[in-house]
Amino acid sequence: MIKSNKPKTLTFKIKRQDDPKSEPYWQAFDMPYRPSLNIISCLQYIAGHATTTGGKDVAPVVWECSCLEEVCGSCTMVINGRARQSCSALVDEILDETGDTIITLEPMSKFPVVRDLWVDRSRMFENLKKVKGWVPIDGTHKLGEGPQESPEQQDMRYALSRCMTCGCCLEACPQFTIDNEFIGAQAISQARYFNEHETGATLKDERLDALSEVGGVSDCGNAQNCVKVCPKDIPLTESIAATGRQLTVHHIKKFFTGK
Ligand code: SF4
Ligand code: SF4
Ligand code: FES
């Protein structure tokens, strides 16, 4: 273990890809150790010193980030085999966990690679559109007070609201692949979040119709990987079960009423 004796050098093995169609390849980069580094600051160093461990000058590694405080989800990548945010992944903690000065970085595998560690997460945003992930309000006139919610309802909805569309739950899900139609835990949970809002519930039937289609809730294999990896501790399997129950009621209602 390297707890008190920090190394002089860190080595990053990075899975690179020049464009969406080309084959991936690995390159290694060394950098001097400093205390309190996060992975983004290491990537910034590597971008400024784009020379591999073998001494070859190469194009700087590309990645995406924005908020730098684990809120936007854009910096998500696979670090030492685990999908997580590179802004909040601290090198000292990784060294303490692994005892290894070699750190691997890969793009998430369930989304198309744009370049290097940068992936296209549009599918998640398209899925939010499919489940109408919003509260429909007319903002052109005064709406008065919003609906009241009990403290329990607020707590439940607050937990669901923390989703940052990072993709970790989808990366870990065996049912979600890069080319199938499964909508995944994130969109199911967001549908529940908006269905539980009094005004949002006006679109509940449409959301449940979308979740009844191919790739909807019934494609979940209940492996429960998603809930274990969510960095925001969102109760995803609870959302999947709750939405499954809403779907049963929805289908019975449709059977009897025809709508
Ligand atoms: S419960 Fe399993 S199959 Fe269902 S969304 Fe989560 S990881 Fe995927
Ligand atoms: S549910 Fe969790 S893991 Fe999935 S996208 Fe949202 S924050 Fe990320
Ligand atoms: S940069 Fe926004 S979550 Fe890391």
Side-chain angles (χ1 to χ4, degrees), residues 71 73 76 85 111 121 124 160 162-171 185-187 189-190 226-227 229-236:
V71 171
T76 307
Q85 286 64 58
F111 302 94
R121 295 178 297 134
M124 272 192 287
L160 304 183
R162 290 178 309 198
C163 177
M164 56 178 166
T165 326
C166 67
C168 290
C169 55
L170 307 176
E171 181 69 14
Q186 168 256 352
S189 189
Q190 287 302 291
C226 50
V227 75
V229 299
C230 175
K232 298 296 182 189
D233 294 326
I234 296 174
L236 293 169

Coordinates of all heavy atoms in Angstrom, one line a residue, residues 71 73 76 85 111 121 124 160 162-171 185-187 189-190 226-227 229-236, ligand 2:
V71 N -21.8 17.4 -11.0 CA -23.1 17.8 -11.2 C -23.6 17.6 -12.6 O -24.8 17.3 -12.9 CB -23.3 19.3 -10.8 CG1 -24.7 19.8 -11.2 CG2 -23.1 19.5 -9.3
G73 N -22.2 15.5 -15.1 CA -22.0 14.1 -15.6 C -21.2 14.0 -16.8 O -20.9 12.9 -17.2
T76 N -17.8 11.7 -17.2 CA -17.8 10.3 -16.8 C -17.0 9.5 -17.8 O -17.0 9.6 -19.0 CB -19.3 9.8 -16.8 OG1 -20.0 10.7 -16.0 CG2 -19.4 8.4 -16.3
Q85 N -17.1 9.7 -12.3 CA -16.8 11.1 -12.8 C -15.3 11.4 -12.5 O -14.8 11.2 -11.4 CB -17.6 12.1 -12.0 CG -19.1 12.1 -12.4 CD -19.8 10.9 -12.1 OE1 -19.9 10.5 -11.0 NE2 -20.3 10.2 -13.1
F111 N -21.8 3.9 -25.1 CA -22.1 5.1 -25.9 C -21.1 5.2 -27.0 O -19.9 4.8 -26.8 CB -22.1 6.3 -25.0 CG -23.0 6.3 -23.8 CD1 -22.6 5.9 -22.6 CD2 -24.4 6.6 -24.0 CE1 -23.5 5.8 -21.5 CE2 -25.3 6.6 -22.9 CZ -24.8 6.1 -21.7
R121 N -23.5 11.1 -25.4 CA -24.5 10.6 -24.5 C -25.9 11.0 -24.9 O -26.9 10.9 -24.2 CB -24.3 11.1 -23.1 CG -23.0 10.6 -22.4 CD -22.8 11.2 -21.0 NE -22.6 12.7 -21.1 CZ -23.2 13.6 -20.4 NH1 -24.0 13.2 -19.4 NH2 -23.0 14.8 -20.5
M124 N -29.3 9.1 -24.0 CA -29.9 9.4 -22.7 C -30.9 10.6 -22.8 O -32.0 10.5 -22.2 CB -28.9 9.7 -21.6 CG -28.4 8.4 -21.0 SD -27.5 8.8 -19.5 CE -26.0 9.5 -20.2
L160 N -34.8 11.5 -6.4 CA -34.8 11.2 -7.8 C -34.3 12.4 -8.7 O -33.7 12.2 -9.8 CB -36.2 10.9 -8.3 CG -36.9 9.7 -7.6 CD1 -38.3 9.5 -8.2 CD2 -36.1 8.4 -7.6
R162 N -31.8 14.1 -8.3 CA -30.3 14.3 -8.3 C -29.6 13.7 -9.5 O -28.4 13.8 -9.7 CB -29.7 13.8 -7.0 CG -30.1 14.6 -5.8 CD -29.5 14.0 -4.6 NE -29.8 12.6 -4.5 CZ -29.8 11.9 -3.3 NH1 -29.4 12.5 -2.2 NH2 -30.1 10.6 -3.3
C163 N -30.4 13.1 -10.4 CA -29.8 12.4 -11.6 C -29.1 13.5 -12.4 O -29.6 14.5 -12.7 CB -30.9 11.7 -12.4 SG -30.2 11.0 -13.9
M164 N -27.8 13.2 -12.8 CA -27.1 14.1 -13.7 C -26.8 13.5 -15.1 O -25.9 14.0 -15.8 CB -25.8 14.5 -13.0 CG -24.9 13.3 -12.6 SD -23.4 13.8 -11.9 CE -22.8 12.2 -11.2
T165 N -27.6 12.5 -15.4 CA -27.5 11.9 -16.8 C -26.1 11.6 -17.1 O -25.6 11.8 -18.2 CB -28.1 12.9 -17.8 OG1 -29.2 13.6 -17.2 CG2 -28.6 12.2 -19.0
C166 N -25.4 11.0 -16.1 CA -24.0 10.6 -16.3 C -23.8 9.4 -17.1 O -22.8 9.2 -17.8 CB -23.3 10.5 -15.0 SG -23.8 9.1 -14.0
G167 N -24.7 8.4 -17.0 CA -24.6 7.2 -17.7 C -24.0 6.0 -17.0 O -23.9 4.9 -17.5
C168 N -23.5 6.2 -15.7 CA -22.9 5.1 -15.0 C -23.9 3.9 -14.9 O -23.4 2.7 -15.0 CB -22.5 5.5 -13.6 SG -21.1 6.7 -13.5
C169 N -25.2 4.2 -14.6 CA -26.1 3.1 -14.4 C -26.3 2.3 -15.7 O -26.5 1.1 -15.7 CB -27.5 3.6 -14.0 SG -28.2 4.9 -15.0
L170 N -26.2 2.9 -16.9 CA -26.3 2.3 -18.1 C -25.0 1.5 -18.5 O -25.1 0.4 -19.0 CB -26.7 3.3 -19.2 CG -27.9 4.2 -18.9 CD1 -28.1 5.2 -19.9 CD2 -29.1 3.3 -18.7
E171 N -23.9 2.1 -18.1 CA -22.6 1.4 -18.4 C -22.6 0.0 -17.6 O -22.1 -1.0 -18.1 CB -21.5 2.3 -17.9 CG -20.1 1.7 -18.1 CD -19.6 1.6 -19.6 OE1 -20.3 2.2 -20.5 OE2 -18.7 0.9 -19.8
A185 N -32.3 2.4 -16.7 CA -32.8 2.8 -15.4 C -32.9 4.3 -15.2 O -33.8 4.8 -14.6 CB -31.8 2.3 -14.3
Q186 N -32.0 5.0 -15.9 CA -32.1 6.5 -15.7 C -33.4 7.1 -16.2 O -34.0 7.9 -15.5 CB -30.8 7.1 -16.5 CG -30.8 8.6 -16.7 CD -31.2 9.0 -18.1 OE1 -31.4 8.1 -19.0 NE2 -31.4 10.2 -18.3
A187 N -33.8 6.7 -17.4 CA -35.0 7.3 -18.0 C -36.3 6.8 -17.2 O -37.3 7.5 -17.0 CB -35.1 7.0 -19.5
S189 N -36.4 6.0 -14.1 CA -36.5 6.7 -12.8 C -36.9 8.2 -13.0 O -37.6 8.7 -12.2 CB -35.1 6.7 -12.1 OG -35.1 7.2 -10.8
Q190 N -36.5 8.8 -14.1 CA -36.9 10.2 -14.4 C -38.4 10.2 -14.7 O -39.1 11.2 -14.4 CB -36.1 10.8 -15.5 CG -34.7 11.1 -15.1 CD -34.6 12.1 -13.9 OE1 -35.0 13.2 -14.0 NE2 -34.2 11.6 -12.7
C226 N -27.3 -1.3 -11.7 CA -27.5 0.2 -11.8 C -27.5 0.9 -10.5 O -26.8 1.8 -10.3 CB -28.8 0.5 -12.5 SG -30.2 -0.4 -11.9
V227 N -28.2 0.3 -9.5 CA -28.4 1.0 -8.2 C -27.1 1.0 -7.4 O -26.8 1.9 -6.7 CB -29.6 0.4 -7.4 CG1 -29.2 -1.0 -6.9 CG2 -30.1 1.3 -6.4
V229 N -24.1 1.3 -8.7 CA -23.0 2.2 -9.2 C -23.4 3.7 -9.3 O -22.6 4.6 -9.6 CB -22.6 1.8 -10.6 CG1 -22.0 0.4 -10.6 CG2 -23.7 1.9 -11.6
C230 N -24.7 4.0 -9.1 CA -25.2 5.4 -9.2 C -24.4 6.3 -8.2 O -24.5 6.1 -7.0 CB -26.7 5.5 -9.0 SG -27.2 7.2 -9.1
P231 N -23.7 7.3 -8.7 CA -22.9 8.2 -7.8 C -23.8 9.0 -7.0 O -23.4 9.6 -6.0 CB -22.1 9.0 -8.8 CG -22.7 8.9 -10.1 CD -23.5 7.6 -10.1
K232 N -25.1 9.2 -7.3 CA -26.0 10.0 -6.6 C -26.9 9.2 -5.7 O -27.9 9.7 -5.2 CB -26.8 10.9 -7.5 CG -26.0 11.9 -8.3 CD -25.3 12.9 -7.4 CE -24.4 13.9 -8.2 NZ -23.6 14.7 -7.3
D233 N -26.6 7.9 -5.6 CA -27.5 7.0 -4.7 C -28.9 7.1 -5.0 O -29.8 7.1 -4.1 CB -27.2 7.3 -3.2 CG -25.8 7.0 -2.8 OD1 -25.2 6.1 -3.3 OD2 -25.2 7.8 -1.9
I234 N -29.3 7.2 -6.2 CA -30.7 7.2 -6.6 C -31.3 5.8 -6.5 O -30.7 4.9 -6.9 CB -30.8 7.8 -8.0 CG1 -30.3 9.2 -8.0 CG2 -32.3 7.7 -8.5 CD1 -30.2 9.9 -9.4
P235 N -32.5 5.7 -5.8 CA -33.0 4.4 -5.6 C -33.6 3.8 -6.9 O -34.8 3.7 -7.1 CB -34.1 4.6 -4.6 CG -34.5 6.0 -4.7 CD -33.3 6.8 -5.2
L236 N -32.7 3.4 -7.8 CA -33.2 3.1 -9.2 C -34.0 1.8 -9.2 O -35.0 1.8 -10.0 CB -31.9 2.9 -10.1 CG -31.1 4.2 -10.3 CD1 -29.8 3.9 -11.0 CD2 -31.9 5.1 -11.2
Ligands
SF4_2 S1 -29.4 7.5 -12.4 FE1 -27.4 7.8 -11.3 S2 -26.0 6.6 -12.6 FE2 -27.8 6.9 -13.8 S3 -27.5 8.7 -15.0 FE3 -28.6 9.4 -13.2 S4 -26.9 9.9 -11.7 FE4 -26.0 8.7 -13.4

